[in-house]
Amino acid sequence: MSGHENGDVALVDVEAAEALLVAREARSALRRSLALHGPVGGWDVWDRQPNDAFVPFPPFSSEREFADAVLERLDLHFYIEREVTGTHCSSSKPMRIDAVARPRAVSAWKDEAPAFGIEFKSPDMPRYGLDPAYTAQALDYTHIDWKGYGRLQVALCPSPLPIHRDEGISEYRILQSVLTHLGLMELAWLNGYGLALVVRGTHKIWTERTGVYAGRRWSVQPSLGSRH
């Protein structure tokens, strides 16, 4: 359709909307609206799963392509620095993490300068239990002095735990709690919320749909001392 005072108007479906060439602010508003009212470009599975359900990421041809897609979405809400380097607290060995994210708006966060690391793995990697190598690598990253940031909590994307986990099974509840206390988070896809930064399996620090969630009262800084 045409004739709008600000230019042409067109009706497009959801998938086509994601590909529109629009200004950054308009794309951000579009995605916020879609996150509230419907599926976005094949990423969501609305009405097929209960809200809060962990759902698989769509397939990608490579880990790099997956990371690019996730970081493009996060870039609307966070400043992203890729390939950040640092050194381990017990050695001078250089290390590198895929990305560090800082919120564009920090007023709603508990921390004055919130930031967290992100480590990616291929989303189609089969997972039947805790992925030990992936988890061990990320645990090392929680002890790195990252250049310009210091120590950070690290979000794993996708989660090192199985997608189809049973929250009622005590072993998963224990694993989720232990990983959180060790400084690891999950950057997952939650039905009804989109991308979500999650700790302890169910606590949403931030989501695409709501913005800052538990991050208003929970710190994302590495914990030291008592964790009661």
Side-chain angles (χ1 to χ4, degrees):
M1 295 186 296
S2 62
H4 191 279
E5 62 182 2
N6 291 323
D8 292 343
V9 177
L11 295 176
V12 297
D13 59 22
V14 170
E15 287 73 18
E18 275 291 282
L20 289 175
L21 296 177
V22 296
R24 177 192 182 88
E25 294 78 8
R27 183 175 295 275
S28 179
L30 173 65
R31 283 181 170 166
R32 285 197 301 271
S33 177
L34 290 173
L36 285 169
H37 301 295
V40 179
W43 281 69
D44 234 333
V45 287
W46 301 85
D47 301 323
R48 303 180 203 170
Q49 305 257 2
N51 272 8
D52 282 357
F54 283 69
V55 293
F57 285 102
F60 289 89
S61 62
S62 68
E63 181 180 312
R64 178 73 182 199
E65 182 183 300
F66 173 53
D68 288 345
V70 172
L71 292 176
E72 180 184 4
R73 298 184 74 92
L74 289 179
D75 186 63
L76 295 170
H77 312 277
F78 297 87
Y79 297 107
I80 303 294
E81 183 177 356
R82 301 187 69 154
E83 304 294 334
V84 177
T85 59
T87 54
H88 195 274
C89 62
S90 64
S91 73
S92 58
K93 181 180 179 180
M95 305 289 283
R96 182 173 59 191
I97 195 168
D98 290 333
V100 172
R102 295 182 295 114
R104 291 184 177 274
V106 301
S107 59
W109 293 76
K110 178 178 180 178
D111 300 308
E112 291 185 4
F116 57 91
I118 309 173
E119 182 64 17
F120 292 96
K121 285 291 181 287
S122 175
D124 57 356
M125 186 168 58
R127 291 181 179 83
Y128 306 103
L130 181 70
D131 186 323
Y134 182 25
T135 306
Q137 178 186 23
L139 285 173
D140 283 341
Y141 288 169
T142 65
H143 297 282
I144 302 296
D145 180 12
W146 298 109
K147 187 175 181 180
Y149 300 99
R151 289 183 59 228
L152 295 170
Q153 289 200 59
V154 176
L156 301 180
C157 187
S159 169
L161 293 168
I163 288 294
H164 301 293
R165 66 192 75 169
D166 185 342
E167 300 293 347
I169 297 179
S170 60
E171 65 181 275
Y172 286 128
R173 293 204 306 268
I174 293 171
L175 280 172
Q176 291 158 356
S177 180
V178 168
L179 292 179
T180 297
H181 285 310
L182 292 174
L184 298 183
M185 302 184 286
E186 300 174 76
L187 184 56
W189 188 262
L190 296 187
N191 188 57
Y193 291 93
L195 284 173
L197 189 63
V198 181
V199 297
R200 297 184 184 175
T202 58
H203 296 282
K204 299 176 285 292
I205 298 296
W206 170 91
T207 79
E208 273 189 294
R209 178 178 179 179
T210 65
V212 186
Y213 207 83
R216 295 175 180 273
R217 62 185 187 278
W218 286 15
S219 173
V220 294
Q221 298 298 323
S223 299
L224 293 173
S226 174
R227 287 165 171 76
H228 294 296

PDB file of all heavy atoms in Angstrom, residues 88-110:
ATOM      1  N   HIS A  88      44.662 -16.271  32.921  1.00  0.00           N
ATOM      2  CA  HIS A  88      44.152 -17.037  34.058  1.00  0.00           C
ATOM      3  C   HIS A  88      44.812 -16.572  35.340  1.00  0.00           C
ATOM      4  O   HIS A  88      45.977 -16.154  35.349  1.00  0.00           O
ATOM      5  CB  HIS A  88      44.411 -18.528  33.828  1.00  0.00           C
ATOM      6  CG  HIS A  88      43.634 -19.418  34.741  1.00  0.00           C
ATOM      7  ND1 HIS A  88      44.085 -19.764  35.993  1.00  0.00           N
ATOM      8  CD2 HIS A  88      42.432 -20.020  34.589  1.00  0.00           C
ATOM      9  CE1 HIS A  88      43.194 -20.546  36.572  1.00  0.00           C
ATOM     10  NE2 HIS A  88      42.183 -20.730  35.746  1.00  0.00           N
ATOM     11  N   CYS A  89      44.064 -16.674  36.451  1.00  0.00           N
ATOM     12  CA  CYS A  89      44.571 -16.176  37.728  1.00  0.00           C
ATOM     13  C   CYS A  89      45.795 -16.943  38.214  1.00  0.00           C
ATOM     14  O   CYS A  89      46.585 -16.412  39.011  1.00  0.00           O
ATOM     15  CB  CYS A  89      43.466 -16.249  38.789  1.00  0.00           C
ATOM     16  SG  CYS A  89      42.870 -17.924  39.124  1.00  0.00           S
ATOM     17  N   SER A  90      45.988 -18.178  37.773  1.00  0.00           N
ATOM     18  CA  SER A  90      47.106 -18.982  38.259  1.00  0.00           C
ATOM     19  C   SER A  90      48.224 -19.148  37.245  1.00  0.00           C
ATOM     20  O   SER A  90      49.189 -19.866  37.494  1.00  0.00           O
ATOM     21  CB  SER A  90      46.608 -20.374  38.683  1.00  0.00           C
ATOM     22  OG  SER A  90      46.085 -21.074  37.571  1.00  0.00           O
ATOM     23  N   SER A  91      48.107 -18.513  36.099  1.00  0.00           N
ATOM     24  CA  SER A  91      49.146 -18.616  35.077  1.00  0.00           C
ATOM     25  C   SER A  91      49.088 -17.399  34.174  1.00  0.00           C
ATOM     26  O   SER A  91      48.170 -16.588  34.245  1.00  0.00           O
ATOM     27  CB  SER A  91      48.973 -19.886  34.236  1.00  0.00           C
ATOM     28  OG  SER A  91      47.880 -19.765  33.361  1.00  0.00           O
ATOM     29  N   SER A  92      50.071 -17.280  33.320  1.00  0.00           N
ATOM     30  CA  SER A  92      50.096 -16.171  32.367  1.00  0.00           C
ATOM     31  C   SER A  92      49.579 -16.602  30.995  1.00  0.00           C
ATOM     32  O   SER A  92      49.697 -15.861  30.022  1.00  0.00           O
ATOM     33  CB  SER A  92      51.523 -15.626  32.223  1.00  0.00           C
ATOM     34  OG  SER A  92      52.401 -16.659  31.793  1.00  0.00           O
ATOM     35  N   LYS A  93      48.992 -17.809  30.931  1.00  0.00           N
ATOM     36  CA  LYS A  93      48.509 -18.318  29.655  1.00  0.00           C
ATOM     37  C   LYS A  93      47.374 -17.445  29.136  1.00  0.00           C
ATOM     38  O   LYS A  93      46.385 -17.210  29.831  1.00  0.00           O
ATOM     39  CB  LYS A  93      48.016 -19.749  29.825  1.00  0.00           C
ATOM     40  CG  LYS A  93      47.502 -20.375  28.532  1.00  0.00           C
ATOM     41  CD  LYS A  93      47.028 -21.803  28.763  1.00  0.00           C
ATOM     42  CE  LYS A  93      46.484 -22.407  27.473  1.00  0.00           C
ATOM     43  NZ  LYS A  93      46.021 -23.809  27.676  1.00  0.00           N
ATOM     44  N   PRO A  94      47.479 -16.952  27.912  1.00  0.00           N
ATOM     45  CA  PRO A  94      46.404 -16.122  27.359  1.00  0.00           C
ATOM     46  C   PRO A  94      45.178 -16.970  27.034  1.00  0.00           C
ATOM     47  O   PRO A  94      45.290 -18.108  26.580  1.00  0.00           O
ATOM     48  CB  PRO A  94      47.028 -15.529  26.096  1.00  0.00           C
ATOM     49  CG  PRO A  94      48.077 -16.517  25.694  1.00  0.00           C
ATOM     50  CD  PRO A  94      48.611 -17.096  26.975  1.00  0.00           C
ATOM     51  N   MET A  95      43.999 -16.412  27.264  1.00  0.00           N
ATOM     52  CA  MET A  95      42.739 -17.082  26.980  1.00  0.00           C
ATOM     53  C   MET A  95      41.847 -16.121  26.192  1.00  0.00           C
ATOM     54  O   MET A  95      42.074 -14.907  26.185  1.00  0.00           O
ATOM     55  CB  MET A  95      42.040 -17.498  28.279  1.00  0.00           C
ATOM     56  CG  MET A  95      42.885 -18.351  29.218  1.00  0.00           C
ATOM     57  SD  MET A  95      43.151 -20.027  28.609  1.00  0.00           S
ATOM     58  CE  MET A  95      41.559 -20.769  28.975  1.00  0.00           C
ATOM     59  N   ARG A  96      40.825 -16.684  25.577  1.00  0.00           N
ATOM     60  CA  ARG A  96      39.925 -15.856  24.780  1.00  0.00           C
ATOM     61  C   ARG A  96      38.510 -16.397  24.900  1.00  0.00           C
ATOM     62  O   ARG A  96      38.273 -17.603  24.829  1.00  0.00           O
ATOM     63  CB  ARG A  96      40.357 -15.852  23.315  1.00  0.00           C
ATOM     64  CG  ARG A  96      39.512 -14.969  22.418  1.00  0.00           C
ATOM     65  CD  ARG A  96      40.101 -14.893  21.024  1.00  0.00           C
ATOM     66  NE  ARG A  96      40.208 -16.210  20.420  1.00  0.00           N
ATOM     67  CZ  ARG A  96      40.863 -16.476  19.300  1.00  0.00           C
ATOM     68  NH1 ARG A  96      41.528 -15.507  18.685  1.00  0.00           N
ATOM     69  NH2 ARG A  96      40.895 -17.690  18.803  1.00  0.00           N
ATOM     70  N   ILE A  97      37.555 -15.494  25.098  1.00  0.00           N
ATOM     71  CA  ILE A  97      36.141 -15.864  25.178  1.00  0.00           C
ATOM     72  C   ILE A  97      35.410 -15.284  23.972  1.00  0.00           C
ATOM     73  O   ILE A  97      35.823 -14.249  23.418  1.00  0.00           O
ATOM     74  CB  ILE A  97      35.515 -15.373  26.499  1.00  0.00           C
ATOM     75  CG1 ILE A  97      34.170 -16.048  26.764  1.00  0.00           C
ATOM     76  CG2 ILE A  97      35.365 -13.847  26.512  1.00  0.00           C
ATOM     77  CD1 ILE A  97      33.641 -15.816  28.173  1.00  0.00           C
ATOM     78  N   ASP A  98      34.331 -15.934  23.561  1.00  0.00           N
ATOM     79  CA  ASP A  98      33.648 -15.531  22.335  1.00  0.00           C
ATOM     80  C   ASP A  98      33.136 -14.097  22.386  1.00  0.00           C
ATOM     81  O   ASP A  98      33.226 -13.358  21.405  1.00  0.00           O
ATOM     82  CB  ASP A  98      32.483 -16.474  22.042  1.00  0.00           C
ATOM     83  CG  ASP A  98      32.960 -17.857  21.616  1.00  0.00           C
ATOM     84  OD1 ASP A  98      34.069 -17.959  21.064  1.00  0.00           O
ATOM     85  OD2 ASP A  98      32.219 -18.831  21.834  1.00  0.00           O
ATOM     86  N   ALA A  99      32.560 -13.693  23.521  1.00  0.00           N
ATOM     87  CA  ALA A  99      31.996 -12.338  23.596  1.00  0.00           C
ATOM     88  C   ALA A  99      31.799 -11.920  25.042  1.00  0.00           C
ATOM     89  O   ALA A  99      31.713 -12.758  25.942  1.00  0.00           O
ATOM     90  CB  ALA A  99      30.666 -12.266  22.854  1.00  0.00           C
ATOM     91  N   VAL A 100      31.747 -10.616  25.254  1.00  0.00           N
ATOM     92  CA  VAL A 100      31.345 -10.025  26.529  1.00  0.00           C
ATOM     93  C   VAL A 100      30.201  -9.064  26.233  1.00  0.00           C
ATOM     94  O   VAL A 100      30.255  -8.296  25.264  1.00  0.00           O
ATOM     95  CB  VAL A 100      32.507  -9.294  27.224  1.00  0.00           C
ATOM     96  CG1 VAL A 100      31.999  -8.523  28.444  1.00  0.00           C
ATOM     97  CG2 VAL A 100      33.591 -10.279  27.634  1.00  0.00           C
ATOM     98  N   ALA A 101      29.154  -9.120  27.054  1.00  0.00           N
ATOM     99  CA  ALA A 101      27.969  -8.278  26.858  1.00  0.00           C
ATOM    100  C   ALA A 101      27.793  -7.321  28.025  1.00  0.00           C
ATOM    101  O   ALA A 101      27.926  -7.719  29.184  1.00  0.00           O
ATOM    102  CB  ALA A 101      26.723  -9.144  26.696  1.00  0.00           C
ATOM    103  N   ARG A 102      27.476  -6.058  27.719  1.00  0.00           N
ATOM    104  CA  ARG A 102      27.152  -5.037  28.718  1.00  0.00           C
ATOM    105  C   ARG A 102      25.810  -4.409  28.348  1.00  0.00           C
ATOM    106  O   ARG A 102      25.615  -4.012  27.203  1.00  0.00           O
ATOM    107  CB  ARG A 102      28.228  -3.944  28.748  1.00  0.00           C
ATOM    108  CG  ARG A 102      29.598  -4.394  29.194  1.00  0.00           C
ATOM    109  CD  ARG A 102      30.581  -3.218  29.224  1.00  0.00           C
ATOM    110  NE  ARG A 102      30.835  -2.663  27.908  1.00  0.00           N
ATOM    111  CZ  ARG A 102      30.494  -1.443  27.519  1.00  0.00           C
ATOM    112  NH1 ARG A 102      29.848  -0.626  28.364  1.00  0.00           N
ATOM    113  NH2 ARG A 102      30.778  -1.012  26.294  1.00  0.00           N
ATOM    114  N   PRO A 103      24.864  -4.291  29.260  1.00  0.00           N
ATOM    115  CA  PRO A 103      23.564  -3.699  28.936  1.00  0.00           C
ATOM    116  C   PRO A 103      23.701  -2.272  28.420  1.00  0.00           C
ATOM    117  O   PRO A 103      24.509  -1.489  28.924  1.00  0.00           O
ATOM    118  CB  PRO A 103      22.821  -3.729  30.271  1.00  0.00           C
ATOM    119  CG  PRO A 103      23.489  -4.791  31.070  1.00  0.00           C
ATOM    120  CD  PRO A 103      24.928  -4.759  30.662  1.00  0.00           C
ATOM    121  N   ARG A 104      22.902  -1.935  27.434  1.00  0.00           N
ATOM    122  CA  ARG A 104      22.889  -0.568  26.917  1.00  0.00           C
ATOM    123  C   ARG A 104      22.252   0.388  27.928  1.00  0.00           C
ATOM    124  O   ARG A 104      22.600   1.562  27.980  1.00  0.00           O
ATOM    125  CB  ARG A 104      22.135  -0.517  25.578  1.00  0.00           C
ATOM    126  CG  ARG A 104      22.881  -1.233  24.455  1.00  0.00           C
ATOM    127  CD  ARG A 104      22.180  -1.084  23.112  1.00  0.00           C
ATOM    128  NE  ARG A 104      22.968  -1.714  22.060  1.00  0.00           N
ATOM    129  CZ  ARG A 104      23.953  -1.125  21.390  1.00  0.00           C
ATOM    130  NH1 ARG A 104      24.262   0.145  21.675  1.00  0.00           N
ATOM    131  NH2 ARG A 104      24.628  -1.757  20.460  1.00  0.00           N
ATOM    132  N   ALA A 105      21.301  -0.114  28.695  1.00  0.00           N
ATOM    133  CA  ALA A 105      20.667   0.672  29.749  1.00  0.00           C
ATOM    134  C   ALA A 105      20.868  -0.077  31.064  1.00  0.00           C
ATOM    135  O   ALA A 105      20.408  -1.212  31.204  1.00  0.00           O
ATOM    136  CB  ALA A 105      19.188   0.856  29.461  1.00  0.00           C
ATOM    137  N   VAL A 106      21.551   0.539  32.011  1.00  0.00           N
ATOM    138  CA  VAL A 106      21.926  -0.172  33.237  1.00  0.00           C
ATOM    139  C   VAL A 106      21.066   0.198  34.438  1.00  0.00           C
ATOM    140  O   VAL A 106      21.195  -0.407  35.500  1.00  0.00           O
ATOM    141  CB  VAL A 106      23.412   0.080  33.586  1.00  0.00           C
ATOM    142  CG1 VAL A 106      24.309  -0.369  32.455  1.00  0.00           C
ATOM    143  CG2 VAL A 106      23.655   1.554  33.909  1.00  0.00           C
ATOM    144  N   SER A 107      20.165   1.169  34.299  1.00  0.00           N
ATOM    145  CA  SER A 107      19.464   1.692  35.464  1.00  0.00           C
ATOM    146  C   SER A 107      18.617   0.636  36.169  1.00  0.00           C
ATOM    147  O   SER A 107      18.422   0.705  37.384  1.00  0.00           O
ATOM    148  CB  SER A 107      18.573   2.875  35.065  1.00  0.00           C
ATOM    149  OG  SER A 107      17.617   2.485  34.091  1.00  0.00           O
ATOM    150  N   ALA A 108      18.101  -0.346  35.435  1.00  0.00           N
ATOM    151  CA  ALA A 108      17.233  -1.346  36.047  1.00  0.00           C
ATOM    152  C   ALA A 108      18.003  -2.505  36.662  1.00  0.00           C
ATOM    153  O   ALA A 108      17.424  -3.328  37.372  1.00  0.00           O
ATOM    154  CB  ALA A 108      16.240  -1.881  35.021  1.00  0.00           C
ATOM    155  N   TRP A 109      19.302  -2.573  36.409  1.00  0.00           N
ATOM    156  CA  TRP A 109      20.104  -3.684  36.913  1.00  0.00           C
ATOM    157  C   TRP A 109      20.577  -3.399  38.333  1.00  0.00           C
ATOM    158  O   TRP A 109      20.790  -2.241  38.711  1.00  0.00           O
ATOM    159  CB  TRP A 109      21.315  -3.924  36.013  1.00  0.00           C
ATOM    160  CG  TRP A 109      20.968  -4.421  34.654  1.00  0.00           C
ATOM    161  CD1 TRP A 109      20.463  -3.697  33.617  1.00  0.00           C
ATOM    162  CD2 TRP A 109      21.092  -5.765  34.171  1.00  0.00           C
ATOM    163  NE1 TRP A 109      20.269  -4.490  32.515  1.00  0.00           N
ATOM    164  CE2 TRP A 109      20.648  -5.768  32.828  1.00  0.00           C
ATOM    165  CE3 TRP A 109      21.551  -6.951  34.743  1.00  0.00           C
ATOM    166  CZ2 TRP A 109      20.636  -6.918  32.047  1.00  0.00           C
ATOM    167  CZ3 TRP A 109      21.550  -8.102  33.971  1.00  0.00           C
ATOM    168  CH2 TRP A 109      21.094  -8.088  32.647  1.00  0.00           C
ATOM    169  N   LYS A 110      20.767  -4.445  39.102  1.00  0.00           N
ATOM    170  CA  LYS A 110      21.275  -4.274  40.463  1.00  0.00           C
ATOM    171  C   LYS A 110      22.703  -3.751  40.440  1.00  0.00           C
ATOM    172  O   LYS A 110      23.071  -2.876  41.237  1.00  0.00           O
ATOM    173  CB  LYS A 110      21.211  -5.598  41.227  1.00  0.00           C
ATOM    174  CG  LYS A 110      21.785  -5.494  42.635  1.00  0.00           C
ATOM    175  CD  LYS A 110      21.679  -6.810  43.394  1.00  0.00           C
ATOM    176  CE  LYS A 110      22.274  -6.663  44.794  1.00  0.00           C
ATOM    177  NZ  LYS A 110      22.161  -7.908  45.588  1.00  0.00           N
TER     178      LYS A 110
END
